[in-house]
Amino acid sequence: MRSLLNVQKKLVPDLFDVMTKRYRILQYIRLMEPIGRRSLASSLDITERVLRSEVSFLKEQGLLDIAPQGMSLTKEGNYLFHHLEEVMKEISGLKALEEALKKRLQLSEVIVVPGDSDEASWVKKEMGRFAVAILKARLKNQAVIAVTGGTTLAAVAEMMTPEPRLELLFVPARGGLGEQVENQANTICAKMASKAMGDYRLLHVPDQLSEEAYQSLIAEPNVKERLELIQSARMVIHGIGEANTMAVRRKSSQKVQDKIAESEAVAEAFGYYFDQEGKVVHKVKTIGLQLDDLEKCETVIAVAGGTSKANAIDAYMKRGPKSILVTDEGAAKALLRE
């Protein structure tokens, strides 16, 4: 395929510009449907006049539906988009980025989506769509799936689709009371289960605990039973955070924030803080999955993107289990520059 694409680029260079533009339009409509023309033009940074022409062409081809509430893809549009994805990855160089990143991070599978989630919020939804596809390809009946919190995982939950054939149980990977409710693992777990037509169990405990409170809570029969269920999960989907950002967001004490800064921590996941070499420099006392628990999991999917997250992804991957990574172009290029 690569040789054919190279020949076509030489003979009909404008073809790829047009294909890329129309692919981006289909991609954004698919993620945000139904969406109005003005909002779409603003998001793609093209004029309404140019977009009107492209939308008319795509509608004539039977790829778009246009209704008062906005535009959406037809069944044929979704089919075409699905089959065009791999071709566009070759054209845009994303396939080469994936292969380079697999070698750089020594991972078995890496997915790179176009764009930079630091600059465009829709890129998180695109990462979410691929994460859901990977998860669903590996689902087994009566699977227990643990999920963490955060804005990226909230986007994953939003992109979840029904899976009525299987009995699925979603659980939060850790406690999360005290964080914004929409970003808590409990909220994301419940939403993901609802969209997948599965079941869920929640864990109503604070995210950070003193030693005394921790020992007291894990002795509670209900908490102990829920923790055992969470630790039985064989599929985990999680985010990777920047250390300082996560410490502030979780309302860590000034003493803890100072320790994180002094130890030059750059990444956080599952309550562990990592420096650039992947060394754990601080651990939050939290009820939920620990790093050692992940070694028993059959599928671990890390979802994190944005140029600003490159250092965090790099640090975590040096210490964390060998996950499947779903990231974006911004983070991938920053990682490879380093």
Side-chain angles (χ1 to χ4, degrees), residues 147 157 172 180-193 202:
V147 300
Q180 285 185 320
V181 67
E182 64 270 21
N183 294 331
Q184 287 180 16
N186 276 334
T187 304
I188 291 167
C189 162
K191 184 173 183 179
M192 209 174 280
L202 303 182

Side-chain angles (χ1 to χ4, degrees), residues 92-94 97 112-117 123 127 305-307 327-335 337:
S92 64
L94 292 182
L97 271 181
V112 178
V113 307
D116 187 331
S117 52
V123 179
M127 286 194 292
T307 302
T327 189
D328 61 25
E329 198 174 358
K333 286 180 176 178
L335 275 161
R337 276 197 301 270

Side-chain angles (χ1 to χ4, degrees), residues 34-106:
I35 185 171
R37 194 161 55 205
R38 182 172 297 176
S39 177
L40 181 60
S42 174
S43 299
L44 294 174
D45 196 25
I46 58 179
T47 66
E48 284 193 60
R49 183 181 62 81
V50 170
L51 182 63
R52 189 181 301 114
S53 172
E54 295 297 340
V55 164
S56 295
F57 172 81
L58 294 171
K59 187 176 186 305
E60 287 169 9
Q61 299 301 309
L63 306 177
L64 290 186
D65 273 332
I66 300 178
Q69 62 267 37
M71 296 175 285
S72 57
L73 296 195
T74 62
K75 185 177 180 181
E76 188 176 349
N78 274 296
Y79 178 83
L80 177 71
F81 179 83
H82 175 73
H83 285 273
L84 194 56
E85 272 187 320
E86 284 303 308
V87 176
M88 294 308 298
K89 279 200 166 190
E90 287 281 0
I91 292 171
S92 64
L94 292 182
K95 206 74 177 173
L97 271 181
E98 289 174 350
E99 291 302 317
L101 212 51
K102 274 200 291 188
K103 291 180 182 177
R104 166 81 166 74
L105 300 176
Q106 297 183 332

Side-chain angles (χ1 to χ4, degrees), residues 98-144:
E98 289 174 350
E99 291 302 317
L101 212 51
K102 274 200 291 188
K103 291 180 182 177
R104 166 81 166 74
L105 300 176
Q106 297 183 332
L107 299 177
S108 60
E109 188 170 352
V110 172
I111 299 294
V112 178
V113 307
D116 187 331
S117 52
D118 285 348
E119 299 172 1
S121 59
W122 65 267
V123 179
K124 285 187 179 180
K125 286 190 173 185
E126 187 71 341
M127 286 194 292
R129 184 171 69 86
F130 275 95
V132 166
I134 292 168
L135 184 72
K136 294 184 80 167
R138 290 162 173 78
L139 282 176
K140 297 177 182 177
N141 196 34
Q142 298 183 329
V144 178

Side-chain angles (χ1 to χ4, degrees), residues 190-207:
K191 184 173 183 179
M192 209 174 280
S194 175
K195 288 216 163 194
M197 299 177 67
D199 201 359
Y200 64 89
R201 301 287 184 274
L202 303 182
L203 180 64
H204 295 294
V205 295
D207 188 44

Side-chain angles (χ1 to χ4, degrees), residues 193-257:
S194 175
K195 288 216 163 194
M197 299 177 67
D199 201 359
Y200 64 89
R201 301 287 184 274
L202 303 182
L203 180 64
H204 295 294
V205 295
D207 188 44
Q208 301 184 66
L209 298 163
S210 66
E211 180 65 33
E212 185 180 354
Y214 176 82
Q215 295 299 335
S216 175
L217 274 171
I218 61 172
E220 289 287 328
N222 288 341
V223 174
K224 187 177 181 182
E225 179 187 351
R226 194 55 48 86
L227 182 57
E228 288 173 355
L229 177 63
I230 291 168
Q231 290 172 335
S232 74
R234 290 296 174 265
M235 304 187 81
V236 178
I237 183 163
H238 70 94
I240 301 170
E242 295 173 88
N244 293 332
T245 302
M246 296 306 296
V248 171
R249 201 172 91 187
R250 295 218 160 96
K251 298 181 174 62
S252 300
S253 68
Q254 190 58 52
K255 182 180 178 181
V256 168
Q257 290 186 44

Side-chain angles (χ1 to χ4, degrees), residues 156-168:
V156 176
E158 199 172 331
M159 301 308 292
M160 180 60 76
T161 55
E163 193 61 58
R165 299 173 296 108
L166 302 176
E167 293 179 30
L168 305 175

